[in-house]
Amino acid sequence: MRSVPEPIVVALANGTLEAGSTTRQMMSIDTPSWTEDFGRCKIHGFAPEGSYDYRTIVTVDNRMVSADVGSCTWRWSFFDEIPDDIARSVGSVRGLRDAIERMPEHADKLQPLLDEQLSSLGIEQTAAGVNVAP
């Protein structure tokens, strides 16, 4: 882990960033390559999607709650304090979105479940199916 010279990893290793640090503090050190937005929860990746390497930080309510780095042969977790209800909701959203995409004929049954999980994460859907934060 110490051999990874990326700014975000260095900041985690030396304690500049830690659990509870703000999104603003994180962004002042490095800009994510991608972000998955789940309302209150955001997953920030600092390595290109599809790469064998990863540097991932999860924030809830703009505070860091998880930080992991690794590759195909190793993993290091700096901290993982994701609230259980948030983790369950994000997992449900991912699973339900995948199920709706793979089985659109069941969307009418799955969509209410997805809407419930999105709402618990602070995301409301418009009639056009677009996610909006309240």
Side-chain angles (χ1 to χ4, degrees):
M1 181 265 316
R2 290 188 186 271
S3 65
V4 179
E6 304 298 325
I8 204 75
V9 178
V10 171
L12 289 162
N14 71 19
T16 301
L17 291 176
E18 57 190 5
S21 294
T22 66
T23 301
R24 181 177 291 201
Q25 289 170 304
M26 176 189 73
M27 298 289 260
S28 72
I29 291 169
D30 201 358
T31 303
S33 300
W34 55 269
T35 298
E36 275 187 87
D37 189 343
F38 295 95
R40 295 178 54 214
C41 178
K42 294 180 181 40
I43 303 171
H44 308 276
F46 293 85
E49 286 186 282
S51 170
Y52 290 113
D53 298 327
Y54 64 90
R55 296 173 294 283
T56 308
I57 293 179
V58 177
T59 60
V60 173
D61 299 328
N62 293 314
R63 296 278 180 185
M64 291 174 46
V65 295
S66 175
D68 295 292
V69 299
S71 188
C72 57
T73 59
W74 64 277
R75 176 178 184 197
W76 181 265
S77 181
F78 287 94
F79 51 89
D80 184 357
E81 299 175 4
I82 302 172
D84 289 342
D85 61 326
I86 299 288
R88 275 192 304 275
S89 290
V90 168
S92 293
V93 166
R94 283 179 161 167
L96 287 163
R97 284 179 176 165
D98 182 59
I100 289 169
E101 183 179 315
R102 291 177 187 265
M103 302 177 295
E105 66 274 14
H106 298 291
D108 59 327
K109 294 177 183 84
L110 297 172
Q111 190 62 49
L113 300 171
L114 177 58
D115 291 343
E116 179 183 325
Q117 294 302 315
L118 290 170
S119 180
S120 75
L121 291 167
I123 300 172
E124 300 297 327
Q125 284 200 299
T126 66
V130 177
N131 296 337
V132 292

